[in-house]
Amino acid sequence: MSNYKMNTKCVQAGYTPGNGEPRQIPIIQSTTFKYETSEDMGKLFDLEASGYFYSRLQNPTNDYVAAKIAELEGGAAAMLTSSGQAANFLALFNLCECGSHIVSSSSIYGGTFNLIAVTMAKMGIDVTFVSPDCTEEELDAAFKENTKAVFGESIANPALTVLDIEKFAGAAHKHGVPMIVDNTFPTPVNCRPIEWGADIVVHSTTKYMDGHGAAVGGAIVDAGRFDWMAYKDKFPGLCTPDESYHGITYAEKFGKEGAFITKCTAQLMRDLGCVQSPQNAYILNLGLESLHVRMPRHVENGQAVAEFLEGHPQVSYVNYPGLPSNKYYERAQKYMKGGGCGVVSFELKGGRRAAEIFMKHLKLAAIETHVADARTCCLNPATSTHRQMSEEQLRAAGVPSGLVRISCGLEDKEDLIGDLKQALEAI
Ligand SMILES: *Cc1c(COP(=O)(O)O)cnc(C)c1O
């Protein structure tokens, strides 16, 4: 499939049925798999043969879908996880241990920020946050002897900052560590971080990949390029024998292409069990089959809504990387030529009260904490996710009380603009 274009891969990659086999990927709703001899099964446990024995580790339905996502991102191997949070945690923890350090962009999803800054800190894993707009010198200075990875989001949720992937990956490689990019918002249809130097790509498939608000899930893709053995001392988990797995050295046995995902599956999924159900993987695949058709429409609607809002007298500013007035416009043009995503945020001049009235009057855009759905939804952080904060704290956090985030769905853009227009008039 790798020679085909993105549109073809979205529809057909990952699963090729044989003669008389199901056209759609089968849902293998089975916890376990049967063998004729103990010897057959023993080979699987020793990672001497590939096959299935227990769905916590691997399941064929999940593997078809993971293989498709690997192809979409241009990676060598991939795995599914139960959520985006699980994908981020496993990707980082596959490299880190107590005493390790991570360099991360400060402009990331709130859940990931908590994961790294609070929960992983309790495990003895330290982080230095850097501005996504830091200079090369500032970025360089963030690295320590014990740094194991660099992390960032291609388009950050919810700030909509665009990451300079080449710059961050360049710094990571200079310091002998891999670059991890969360590519949830643009999806591989609009941005392929591996082409710009990323080593590992993670996703909350809950968002555009599923695209219908139907199934929570995550994915990890490895480009298969990072030379672990060249930095043996930094990555003992990959480069020295795993005593919990018959003394296997992942980087030796599975090489650059297979080491990261094999270790992450055989060791972390085995122990942590944050597996995606085959039912959810099937639903995710239905979403992937139309990802290349949906993403351009999300972008078209996002762009139209952003342009409409930018010209409206009730609106003080609009944040959308597709607007030439946006700070990240040039960077977005470089990394995502077909546009980024359908999420737009804007501030109402009338503050909290205006936001309340505006949202109450919306008919098509539902109030939800979700984004990246086929149905348009919106959120006022000041009265929901950031409710505990004072006016001053809200402003300092870059979420003034009149800020509204709207995730443009797949409806007709004229209907969406009409809906926004009448709700703005009600203020
Ligand atoms: C939603 C989101 C996550 C978390 O994913 P879940 O599937 O909700 O666990 C991580 N990163 C980004 C960029 C997200 O938007």
Side-chain angles (χ1 to χ4, degrees):
M1 271 283 143
S2 9
N3 296 331
Y4 290 102
K5 301 217 180 338
M6 180 61 68
N7 297 351
T8 306
K9 290 182 188 175
C10 281
V11 183
Q12 295 214 16
Y15 172 66
T16 311
N19 198 31
E21 287 180 357
R23 186 69 189 97
Q24 183 52 282
I25 61 168
I27 304 171
I28 306 296
Q29 192 66 41
S30 182
T31 56
T32 192
F33 301 83
K34 180 212 129 161
Y35 289 93
E36 299 292 338
T37 69
S38 308
E39 212 185 322
D40 287 346
M41 191 144 100
K43 283 190 191 134
L44 301 179
F45 272 94
D46 287 347
L47 300 180
E48 288 298 336
S50 66
Y52 299 95
F53 52 96
Y54 192 55
S55 284
R56 168 150 45 80
L57 281 104
Q58 276 187 293
N59 173 285
T61 310
N62 291 23
D63 282 0
Y64 297 140
V65 182
K68 175 180 280 187
I69 295 173
E71 290 246 21
L72 299 183
E73 287 288 4
M79 65 194 281
L80 301 187
T81 59
S82 55
S83 67
Q85 286 299 104
N88 277 325
F89 176 64
L90 291 199
L92 288 164
F93 200 63
N94 208 31
L95 301 166
C96 296
E97 56 194 23
C98 183
S100 297
H101 172 259
I102 297 163
V103 173
S104 174
S105 163
S106 57
S107 187
I108 55 173
Y109 176 64
T112 312
F113 185 89
N114 278 330
L115 166 69
I116 299 177
V118 182
T119 299
M120 291 182 75
K122 289 179 189 163
M123 298 171 172
I125 297 162
D126 206 16
V127 59
T128 301
F129 287 109
V130 292
S131 158
D133 305 318
C134 66
T135 63
E136 271 178 49
E137 293 68 36
E138 286 164 337
L139 186 51
D140 243 0
F143 286 83
K144 298 181 183 178
E145 195 72 8
N146 56 343
T147 303
K148 308 290 179 179
V150 179
F151 182 88
E153 292 177 5
S154 46
I155 301 181
N157 175 12
L160 304 176
T161 49
V162 178
L163 189 72
D164 191 344
I165 303 172
E166 268 188 324
K167 182 169 95 181
F168 274 68
H173 296 157
K174 187 174 147 196
H175 292 271
V177 302
M179 175 74 208
I180 305 177
V181 175
D182 182 332
N183 197 32
T184 296
F185 266 25
T187 83
V189 168
N190 285 338
C191 177
R192 283 170 303 284
I194 289 172
E195 290 175 5
W196 301 101
D199 302 286
I200 291 143
V201 176
V202 283
H203 280 278
S204 165
T205 62
T206 317
K207 311 292 165 53
Y208 289 112
M209 281 192 166
D210 165 48
H212 298 79
V216 173
I220 306 172
V221 183
D222 176 21
R225 283 194 306 229
F226 196 85
D227 189 359
W228 308 108
M229 288 309 265
Y231 303 97
K232 244 176 136 125
D233 298 340
K234 257 192 204 300
F235 303 105
L238 284 150
C239 303
T240 57
D242 177 2
E243 293 314 330
S244 80
Y245 233 110
H246 321 290
I248 276 176
T249 299
Y250 295 100
E252 269 174 4
K253 194 164 167 67
F254 301 100
K256 281 192 263 188
E257 292 78 19
F260 188 85
I261 294 294
T262 306
K263 174 180 179 285
C264 205
T265 303
Q267 192 187 68
L268 298 186
M269 199 54 102
R270 177 197 64 190
D271 296 353
L272 300 166
C274 39
V275 67
Q276 185 164 141
S277 80
Q279 288 279 350
N280 276 12
Y282 177 85
I283 292 169
L284 165 57
N285 189 56
L286 289 180
L288 292 173
E289 286 180 1
S290 64
L291 187 65
H292 59 298
V293 183
R294 293 185 288 109
M295 285 313 290
R297 175 60 70 90
H298 282 293
V299 168
E300 184 187 330
N301 286 355
Q303 186 75 30
V305 160
E307 285 170 11
F308 163 75
L309 289 168
E310 195 170 46
H312 199 281
Q314 301 266 22
V315 175
S316 52
Y317 77 89
V318 181
N319 182 14
Y320 187 70
L323 291 175
S325 62
N326 190 274
K327 185 177 175 190
Y328 299 101
Y329 179 75
E330 301 291 331
R331 206 179 277 168
Q333 293 296 307
K334 171 178 169 180
Y335 288 107
M336 32 205 95
K337 284 201 172 55
C341 63
V343 182
V344 179
S345 64
F346 61 100
E347 187 187 3
L348 287 168
K349 283 183 185 157
R352 185 185 300 255
R353 180 92 188 103
E356 240 168 80
I357 300 168
F358 167 74
M359 289 185 36
K360 197 168 85 186
H361 282 83
L362 287 170
K363 295 191 175 83
L364 286 174
I367 302 172
E368 291 170 22
T369 58
H370 195 42
V371 287
D373 191 346
R375 290 145 294 199
T376 295
C377 54
C378 65
L379 185 81
N380 171 228
T383 51
S384 57
T385 50
H386 293 60
R387 229 186 133 82
Q388 275 74 27
M389 290 183 165
S390 68
E391 291 286 327
E392 295 71 50
Q393 285 171 325
L394 285 169
R395 203 152 269 291
V399 278
S401 59
L403 189 84
V404 176
R405 179 185 74 189
I406 180 163
S407 167
C408 298
L410 300 175
E411 301 91 342
D412 192 286
K413 64 186 174 198
E414 285 177 24
D415 287 338
L416 289 181
I417 290 171
D419 193 29
L420 297 176
K421 204 168 170 181
Q422 59 83 26
L424 285 166
E425 274 158 15
I427 297 174

